Amino acid sequence: DSNLHGTLNYGPIYTTNPASAAGTGISLADLLLGAPQNGVIAYLTGSRGYRRTEYGAFAQDTWKLTSALTLNLGLRYEVFAAYPWKEVADRMSNFLPAPRGNVFVVGSPELPYESATRTDYNNFGPRLGVAYKLGARTVLRAAYGAFYTAEAIPATSLGAVNPPFIGSSAFTNNQFDFAGARKTSQGFDRPVGLVFSPLGAALQSVDPNFRTPYAQQWNAGVQHHFPGQVLLTAQYVGTAGKKLVLTPDLNQPRPGPGAVPPRRPYPDFNAISWTESGGSSIYHSLQVSAEKRMSGGLS
């Protein structure tokens, strides 16, 4: 956390004329008065140790079935255990929308997974390549592959920054009550035992059913060798991203007047950043190239 030592902001509020603020007030003077406008400090119960283990196995071979047909087949299998991360002392918690919308510590009956997510064991990535020689000067090619990746999720988007393991204390002084203002010499209130309530807090959460993001890539094309040492290639190339990371706010308030908490789906909490594998992408292209081979090694 970037605010472990605390931040105090000095006006100018107590040296400003409320009836005519323009041209009045000096922040340095408020500092000398020892009365900040507001302050905030974060409390972190120790450093964090993130871990995960990645396993992968891969096999591929090439078969020349006939003088004209070549086949490449392969399969990769990957497991990203404890994705996105586990913490060595289980100092992480996660917000679960169901059954009752609350924060639970990893390892609890409601959240038995040490990384707050189930490990995805369905990461099979096939590889397929085909090349067919159509006559002396033409080759047809096609290929397909699926590729899994443990897409990076920032440490600040994980459950280790949630209560009860981290919290903050803040105050805002009243411009019209200098006598009752919290002074610089008073510092910050330190919560007893450094145990923080999630009520009213902004939370980070990961979908327990998060799936490993992956990309499907495919292409098909033709190569033809023209007279005069000219090689022309034309191919269709496509890519589709699946299970990509999205981070919507689960607790976005409905538009309307009045206080914000009653307009939230979960009024006991502030914003809830929910990391899920719900994104997708698609890409299509036509790729054409021509290569002319000259004499003397120039192409």
Side-chain angles (χ1 to χ4, degrees), residues 58-299:
F58 179 76
Q60 181 172 307
D61 207 350
T62 300
W63 289 270
K64 194 171 182 63
L65 300 181
T66 70
S67 60
L69 179 61
T70 302
L71 187 65
N72 293 291
L73 290 177
L75 179 66
R76 183 174 181 86
Y77 178 67
E78 296 183 271
V79 175
F80 301 95
Y83 178 77
W85 297 103
K86 69 176 181 179
E87 205 279 324
V88 291
D90 290 337
R91 289 169 294 189
M92 294 204 305
S93 62
N94 206 38
F95 177 83
L96 298 181
R100 58 184 184 274
N102 210 338
V103 176
F104 301 96
V105 176
V106 297
S108 64
E110 296 84 0
L111 194 65
Y113 321 111
E114 58 185 357
S115 63
T117 66
R118 294 183 178 93
T119 298
D120 187 358
Y121 293 103
N122 195 37
N123 303 335
F124 293 93
R127 310 284 196 269
L128 172 63
V130 179
Y132 183 72
K133 189 174 182 181
L134 189 65
R137 292 179 172 271
T138 304
V139 178
L140 305 179
R141 302 181 188 276
Y144 170 84
F147 306 87
Y148 290 83
T149 177
E151 189 169 348
I153 297 176
T156 51
S157 297
L158 301 177
V161 300
N162 285 338
F165 304 106
I166 189 172
S168 61
S169 175
F171 68 88
T172 300
N173 283 329
N174 185 348
Q175 180 182 12
F176 302 100
D177 184 14
F178 178 79
R182 187 176 189 88
K183 303 304 191 294
T184 305
S185 58
Q186 294 176 257
F188 296 93
D189 290 327
R190 182 180 177 88
V192 178
L194 288 183
V195 176
F196 306 93
S197 170
L199 298 179
L203 303 174
Q204 302 292 333
S205 188
V206 180
D207 183 357
N209 298 310
F210 193 96
R211 297 284 301 278
T212 308
Y214 67 98
Q216 294 175 313
Q217 300 178 2
W218 60 91
N219 64 78
V222 58
Q223 283 185 321
H224 185 76
H225 198 177
F226 288 93
Q229 296 294 319
V230 175
L231 180 65
L232 181 66
T233 302
Q235 60 180 352
Y236 158 66
V237 177
T239 301
K242 303 292 185 181
K243 309 297 181 183
L244 304 181
V245 174
L246 296 178
T247 54
D249 181 0
L250 282 189
N251 215 20
Q252 187 74 22
R254 298 185 305 273
V260 171
R263 293 187 279 113
R264 294 186 183 274
Y266 306 98
D268 291 336
F269 308 100
N270 207 307
I272 302 174
S273 180
W274 175 258
T275 300
E276 63 181 21
S277 52
S280 63
S281 65
I282 191 73
Y283 167 81
H284 303 282
S285 71
L286 171 65
Q287 300 182 9
V288 180
S289 66
E291 181 180 345
K292 166 66 173 174
R293 296 181 181 178
M294 313 291 285
S295 62
L298 178 65
S299 61

